[in-house]
Amino acid sequence: MSIYGDYIKSVIRTVPDWPEQGVNFRDITPLLQNSAAFRKLIDSFVHRYQEMNLDAIAAIDARGFIIGAPLAYELGCSFVPVRKKGKLPFKTISETYKLEYGHSEVELHADAFQQDDRILLMDDLIATGGTMLAAANLIQRSGGQVVETATIIDLPELGGAQKIRDAGYSVFAVCS
Ligand code: PRP
Ligand code: HPA
């Protein structure tokens, strides 16, 4: 939990039965619409990462971009998008991961990182952890070093953060 974790949690909306019956969807749009809350969110990441000597922030398509870009600006490091399949124009490397039904794929430009670059990987939410873990593995394969994975919301009952930790990565969540 971060310095503003309880406050951030209080401005996230739960939408019942969306996108399907039985799912409680955690909606960050009220947090983003609230300028004071959005600032506190970015500040909580700045507070954690300002002394970590990062080279780049990598963030996951699409909601990860919303937090990754302002943090990269604030810390003065580069920003690298990890995108869904078919969106990046140059030479890519990719990682496939399992969904409940079927597969998905994330991609990275092959020249995104220098060997041993210190990278923070960000996304808005960890559910099963499949997306974050695939992106972390992709970065490691490209030669970068994943210093930590960071998210706004962890859904601990789904075990995603534990799965990412079991694979050897550190996980930071602003709230659960
Ligand atoms: C959501 C969320 C994470 C991922 C988490 O993305 O933003 O990226 O799912 O789920 P997981 O931990 O089970 O992998 P979504 O695919 O809905 O994309 P979006 O950001 O483009 O809305
Ligand atoms: N909110 C936002 N994105 C998600 C969720 C959720 O509850 N579950 C899986 N992806």
Side-chain angles (χ1 to χ4, degrees):
M1 184 76 98
S2 83
I3 43 171
Y4 299 123
D6 288 333
Y7 172 67
I8 297 297
K9 190 170 176 170
S10 77
V11 290
I12 292 166
R13 171 165 59 197
T14 298
V15 181
D17 299 322
W18 198 91
E20 54 191 60
Q21 196 74 21
V23 174
N24 283 322
F25 190 85
R26 312 298 175 177
D27 173 20
I28 61 167
T29 61
L31 158 58
L32 303 174
Q33 284 166 233
N34 178 332
S35 60
F38 188 31
R39 180 173 286 278
K40 279 192 166 56
L41 174 69
I42 300 305
D43 285 350
S44 69
F45 290 120
V46 171
H47 179 260
R48 184 167 179 89
Y49 295 111
Q50 61 190 351
E51 307 298 338
M52 285 211 196
N53 204 16
L54 297 171
D55 295 302
I57 308 296
I60 299 175
D61 190 353
R63 281 172 273 157
F65 297 169
I66 298 167
I67 51 177
L71 184 64
Y73 176 86
E74 196 59 35
L75 297 182
C77 43
S78 60
F79 177 82
V80 172
V82 177
R83 298 220 61 183
K84 289 177 176 141
K85 187 179 168 60
K87 298 287 185 181
L88 288 170
F90 186 61
K91 187 178 171 209
T92 57
I93 59 170
S94 70
E95 184 94 7
T96 303
Y97 59 101
K98 269 174 70 180
L99 300 174
E100 191 177 358
Y101 302 105
H103 289 81
S104 193
E105 202 166 333
V106 282
E107 288 186 334
L108 186 64
H109 270 153
D111 66 350
F113 302 117
Q114 306 290 319
Q115 191 69 30
D116 296 329
D117 270 358
R118 290 172 57 77
I119 294 144
L120 173 69
L121 173 61
M122 305 190 84
D123 202 356
D124 68 317
L125 178 137
I126 296 173
T128 67
T131 310
M132 192 77 105
L133 185 54
N137 288 337
L138 191 54
I139 292 169
Q140 295 281 135
R141 274 175 49 208
S142 82
Q145 180 195 341
V146 178
V147 172
E148 190 155 81
T149 65
T151 190
I152 308 171
I153 307 161
D154 174 38
L155 303 178
E157 66 277 15
L158 297 181
Q162 192 55 52
K163 182 164 88 177
I164 296 162
R165 290 191 178 102
D166 289 346
Y169 301 104
S170 176
V171 179
F172 170 71
V174 171
C175 60
S176 295

